[in-house]
Amino acid sequence: MHQQANIGMQPEYLNLAARWPRLEHNVTFKQRPEDFCVEEVLAFTPSGEGEHVFLWLEKTNLNSQQVIGFIASKLKLAKRDIGYSGLKDKFAHTLQYLSIPWPIKDPLPDLNTLQGDGWRVIAMQRHHKKLKRGVHQLNRFTIKLGLQDEPVTADGVWSMLADRCNLLQKYGFANYFGAQRFGSNANNLFSVAPLLNRNLRVKKAERGMILSAARAYLFNQYIVQRLLAGQFDQALVGDIWQIDGSGSWFNEQLSSEIEQRVKQCELHPMAPLIGRSDKLLQNFLQSTAGQYWQPDDFSLEWPALLAEAGLDTQFRAIRVLPKQLQFRQLDDLHAELSFALPSGSFATALLHELNVQNYRDLS
């Protein structure tokens, strides 16, 4: 059954307009957690006052929920009271914010107590609100790449990747949800039907992850269909537009001006994260852009069930433009990528676009 699920991450679908063939040599990432570094950047600065405290957290080879549990235990807080904007990879070195409720009259926690094996709180600052999901502006990545063999033409491999990075900087890449959204071995996907048919009872947090995986799968399928039709980076009738570098979007009739702005990557077409039907979704599905919304046999019943589950439909850009993308060769067998992506976009999607593979998947 697992082989039936197509999560839209196959290499043949990721290369926009088939710009380049697969690399002849294996280039990988995540040989060590320290080779994959992520830094969260908030869209605001903590105010310095209020009954919440923002913790600036450093962790390695631990997921965010594990560290939240450690902090909750040390400070005798409920895990649900600890706020976060995004969950960061486990097999990585990451910097991110958490928030804790902390009365103004109480002195701040001792930094020396907020650390453990693989994690530590570096700094803290008061704020007047709990940290909410998705409020960070972007994530900065620094990723070390390695060759798994020693070709005579190693410099040629790195030169080819540098050229591809220049193309991604100019044209962007498919804003797929990364495979980690679907859980280990895509297990979240195989819980969707039992959950939505009320044959599976899980905790609220796990339910949210399963529903999120279902919507991500359908979204990835939409990208696949537009890529196959050669319509991925074309402006279509019915498209909804996101302004590059912004969460702002608008719904406007197609024009030559919009076509030009899409071509220049100033605007990006959007696709639904499916939920309850509304006028915006209905108009989209009945348009030229909406014809590529084609759930496969595996997910055919999910849109109706997700709507019944009470989720509101949202829209997400199908293309993303990396910021400050830089490539540098370190030595014959290693190179480094650095770039920034908006909140919600996956570095692994960019790496797959480059035909770079996860070392842990090969071992």
Side-chain angles (χ1 to χ4, degrees):
M1 182 178 180
H2 281 52
Q3 294 179 352
Q4 296 175 18
N6 171 355
I7 62 172
M9 293 300 295
Q10 291 85 341
E12 62 265 34
Y13 294 143
L14 279 160
N15 296 335
L16 309 188
R19 288 191 197 121
W20 46 65
R22 292 188 60 76
L23 296 173
E24 294 182 5
H25 304 282
N26 285 335
V27 180
T28 64
F29 64 98
K30 284 198 175 183
Q31 295 188 42
R32 304 175 306 157
E34 296 81 3
D35 293 339
F36 194 96
C37 299
V38 189
E39 180 183 353
E40 186 176 85
V41 179
L42 293 180
F44 60 92
T45 301
S47 64
E49 55 186 26
E51 293 202 338
H52 295 269
V53 174
F54 278 27
L55 308 177
W56 183 230
L57 168 73
E58 179 182 40
K59 65 179 185 64
T60 302
N61 207 23
L62 292 167
N63 66 43
S64 300
Q65 291 291 3
Q66 286 176 301
V67 180
I68 287 172
F70 298 151
I71 291 174
S73 177
K74 283 181 177 288
L75 298 179
K76 296 180 171 53
L77 297 170
K79 289 177 66 174
R80 65 177 178 274
D81 291 333
I82 298 179
Y84 60 90
S85 181
L87 297 175
K88 299 295 181 281
D89 289 27
K90 175 180 178 179
F91 198 80
H93 176 80
T94 69
L95 292 161
Q96 70 173 110
Y97 286 94
L98 302 176
S99 75
I100 58 172
W102 206 257
I104 293 177
K105 62 181 181 118
D106 291 350
L108 294 178
D110 183 355
L111 267 181
N112 293 325
T113 67
L114 295 180
Q115 57 183 297
D117 188 15
W119 70 276
R120 67 184 178 122
V121 174
I122 301 172
M124 58 183 72
Q125 188 171 8
R126 285 194 174 273
H127 192 60
H128 58 283
K129 290 182 179 180
K130 179 180 179 179
L131 186 61
K132 294 184 178 180
R133 292 292 302 270
V135 298
H136 62 291
Q137 184 176 29
L138 52 85
N139 291 305
R140 291 196 184 104
F141 297 88
T142 303
I143 300 170
K144 189 174 181 180
L145 308 178
L147 276 173
Q148 293 309 292
D149 45 21
E150 299 188 30
V152 177
T153 57
D155 286 346
V157 175
W158 298 130
S159 177
M160 187 180 298
L161 275 177
D163 290 342
R164 294 179 179 187
C165 286
N166 289 334
L167 286 173
L168 290 188
Q169 182 78 70
K170 184 176 181 179
Y171 297 110
F173 62 96
N175 196 21
Y176 283 111
F177 285 94
Q180 57 266 50
R181 177 55 60 94
F182 308 110
S184 178
N185 297 316
N187 285 334
N188 286 343
L189 294 179
F190 302 99
S191 299
V192 174
L195 176 69
L196 294 175
N197 285 305
R198 300 183 177 84
N199 295 325
L200 178 67
R201 292 187 178 183
V202 296
K203 294 180 180 179
K204 183 178 180 181
E206 188 176 350
R207 180 179 185 272
M209 287 191 295
I210 293 170
L211 295 178
S212 178
R215 302 214 293 180
Y217 179 93
L218 291 164
F219 178 89
N220 280 8
Q221 289 301 303
Y222 179 83
I223 291 182
V224 167
Q225 295 304 318
R226 276 187 76 149
L227 279 169
L228 289 173
Q231 299 293 322
F232 173 78
D233 43 13
Q234 305 297 311
L236 302 178
V237 173
D239 267 327
I240 297 164
W241 320 106
Q242 184 177 69
I243 301 171
D244 181 60
S246 166
S248 300
W249 59 274
F250 62 94
N251 181 22
E252 188 174 298
Q253 188 173 355
L254 183 61
S255 65
S256 57
E257 179 187 355
I258 286 179
E259 288 179 329
Q260 186 64 20
R261 293 182 70 187
V262 170
K263 185 176 181 180
Q264 295 174 346
C265 290
E266 295 176 8
L267 299 176
H268 306 296
M270 304 179 79
L273 297 174
I274 203 72
R276 290 183 292 197
S277 182
D278 56 23
K279 187 173 181 181
L280 187 64
L281 177 62
Q282 291 172 7
N283 290 342
F284 175 84
L285 293 178
Q286 293 168 7
S287 71
T288 302
Q291 69 179 305
Y292 300 109
W293 181 260
Q294 299 174 13
D296 58 14
D297 291 341
F298 179 69
S299 59
L300 194 60
E301 297 180 352
W302 292 3
L305 292 171
L306 285 165
E308 186 180 328
L311 297 174
D312 290 327
T313 293
Q314 300 171 322
F315 280 79
R316 167 186 170 96
I318 67 171
R319 180 177 64 187
V320 62
L321 205 61
K323 307 301 180 185
Q324 301 152 12
L325 176 58
Q326 295 183 344
F327 176 92
R328 67 187 184 104
Q329 183 178 342
L330 302 176
D331 55 43
D332 284 350
L333 299 180
H334 301 94
E336 183 180 85
L337 278 176
S338 61
F339 54 91
L341 295 177
S343 168
S345 292
F346 286 74
T348 50
L350 182 150
L351 292 166
H352 279 289
E353 181 79 21
L354 293 172
N355 299 143
V356 175
Q357 303 175 69
N358 190 332
Y359 176 81
R360 299 170 71 232
D361 292 340
L362 301 178
S363 58

